[in-house]
Amino acid sequence: MKAVIEGIRIAGLRAVVPPQRHSFVEDPGPFTVEEARKLAATIGVQERRILPPPYCASDLCLAAAEGLMEQLGWDPATVEVLVFVSQDADYVLPATACIMQHRLGLPTSAAAFDVPLGCSGYVYGLWIAARLLGGSSAKRALVLCGDNPTRHLHPEDRATLPLFGDAGSATALEVDEAAAPIPVVTGTDGAGAPHIFVKAGGKRHGLIPAVGSGGRIADEAEAAQLERDSRLTLNGAEVFSFTLRAVPPLLREAMEHAGTDVDGIDRFILHQANAFMLEHLRKRIKAPADRFVIDMQGFGNTSSASIPLAICHSMGAQVAAGPVKTLMAGFGVGWSWGAMVAELGPIPEPRVVDLPEGYPVLAV
């Protein structure tokens, strides 16, 4: 599907990461030292940020939103749209966004809801929030994207352990009739659902740790299986095949929809899946290396937060000077994908900050 966002600008960005770090190069765990070094070189991850309990992705996003509104000088009472994009909701219900609305002090007239998307979620979140602004009396929106995938990882899964990290982000949108149009392209193929998968935890396959199918108490064997099914499984070969099949056409279609080509894009910022995959995509579309962002060395794959995190970490000064014509694209779990071409800046310099020590947990 194609769409165009009109009369809306990206007013600011901020990312927040846990201060806790882990490097398989320094602490190889289930790997040999040589294996860990080769993995780091291939996937482009030297260390990851790990969010400890009781914190959740919402806490990282909330801290990002508070810092961003302060940086922009926004009164929370002027923000009437809040979209929380995450695969890691705090509760089965209510929607985490409702609790965030209250904590942030947004008005009760605000629309606040969750979008449970992962890798493509940033593009979808911006598009949804922008359309809400364009079709309502609201003038300002916050798109909060964050995940803590490390909590889904099995401690013996060598395919996922070195790759994923935790992060949260906030992006501010504002009505501005002078803003450049933002072309958007999206797509979905649910045939890929089993290839990036957490099977248990919802209603279909039981709740962890003790409730089995049909609502009865699970026996020991079933509880053990539920525990295994509650962990992330990733079919790397299928993910790689999907990415090379779907993403280059997505990027070309997004540029064509925007009336431009590779030469007309200042920076390409894709979901930071892994460096090996990103380099293949760069070569497929013949993008120059100096305009193609690969920035996950210190964070890992942070799912829905990876695009805004990469912008804040590697492009802050450039976006502050702006404008920077960017192609942003997310793709993966679902299968789901989305891309947009947007001018970023000039805006207050985007930042990456650590979650403050003692930050209050978002809880009810």
Side-chain angles (χ1 to χ4, degrees):
M1 183 173 64
K2 295 180 182 178
V4 178
I5 298 168
E6 296 182 308
I8 308 294
R9 76 182 187 101
I10 296 174
L13 298 97
R14 177 168 292 226
V16 172
V17 294
Q20 292 82 359
R21 305 166 185 255
H22 178 262
S23 168
F24 279 101
V25 177
E26 298 174 1
D27 178 16
F31 304 95
T32 67
V33 172
E34 185 60 26
E35 285 175 333
R37 288 174 178 168
K38 287 182 179 179
L39 271 171
T42 300
I43 64 178
V45 180
Q46 292 292 325
E47 68 176 18
R48 309 162 303 138
R49 301 298 184 97
I50 311 295
L51 186 66
Y55 289 110
C56 296
S58 60
D59 298 299
L60 298 173
C61 291
L62 196 71
E66 290 171 340
L68 180 58
M69 286 196 292
E70 181 178 357
Q71 183 185 28
L72 297 177
W74 279 16
D75 181 346
T78 66
V79 179
E80 290 190 285
V81 173
L82 188 158
V83 179
F84 177 51
V85 181
S86 180
Q87 297 172 126
D88 295 309
D90 288 22
Y91 307 102
V92 173
L93 56 88
T96 306
C98 296
I99 308 168
M100 300 170 99
Q101 172 272 334
H102 179 68
R103 173 82 168 266
L104 288 169
L106 306 190
T108 55
S109 58
F113 56 91
D114 296 356
V115 175
L117 283 173
C119 314
S120 64
Y122 186 62
V123 171
Y124 273 84
L126 293 182
W127 173 44
I128 292 167
R131 296 304 295 173
L132 287 173
L133 289 178
S136 71
S137 61
K139 302 300 182 185
R140 288 173 171 171
L142 288 172
V143 178
L144 309 183
C145 288
D147 283 292
N148 53 318
T150 61
R151 217 161 288 174
H152 294 296
L153 307 183
H154 193 283
E156 297 177 2
D157 185 358
R158 294 159 58 93
T160 60
L161 276 178
L163 184 58
F164 290 96
D166 302 327
S169 69
T171 302
L173 299 181
E174 188 170 41
V175 172
D176 181 351
E177 296 304 324
I182 302 175
V184 182
V185 177
T186 64
T188 310
D189 179 4
H195 301 307
I196 308 177
F197 199 36
V198 176
K199 185 175 182 179
K203 297 298 192 297
R204 182 70 63 189
H205 288 285
L207 300 174
I208 303 302
V211 180
S213 59
R216 61 182 174 77
I217 302 300
D219 60 26
E220 185 175 346
E222 187 175 6
Q225 184 62 49
L226 286 171
E227 165 60 21
R228 287 190 293 272
D229 288 345
S230 73
R231 304 293 187 163
L232 175 68
T233 60
L234 186 148
N235 186 330
E238 288 291 341
V239 172
F240 189 69
S241 176
F242 153 73
T243 300
L244 294 188
R245 180 176 68 251
V247 178
L250 168 68
L251 302 179
R252 296 187 188 104
E253 186 177 12
M255 287 186 281
E256 181 182 359
H257 187 35
T260 189
D261 56 17
V262 169
D263 293 335
I265 302 296
D266 297 321
R267 298 299 290 271
F268 296 83
I269 310 146
L270 277 58
H271 165 54
Q272 302 293 291
N274 70 69
F276 179 77
M277 185 181 293
L278 289 170
E279 184 61 21
H280 272 269
L281 293 174
R282 183 188 72 79
K283 291 177 179 177
R284 285 287 183 97
I285 64 168
K286 297 181 171 59
D290 62 350
R291 289 192 274 130
F292 195 93
V293 175
I294 301 179
D295 183 21
M296 54 190 300
Q297 180 174 345
F299 305 109
N301 178 336
T302 58
S303 190
S304 66
S306 76
I307 294 174
L309 176 60
I311 294 171
C312 291
H313 189 249
S314 66
M315 293 176 54
Q318 186 181 11
V319 169
V324 183
K325 194 163 191 175
T326 62
L327 194 164
M328 297 179 279
F331 49 89
V333 58
W335 307 124
S336 175
W337 57 90
M340 59 173 49
V341 176
E343 289 191 3
L344 296 182
I347 58 176
E349 184 168 347
R351 302 172 185 171
V352 180
V353 300
D354 285 358
L355 185 71
E357 183 177 356
Y359 186 78
V361 172
L362 180 68
V364 296

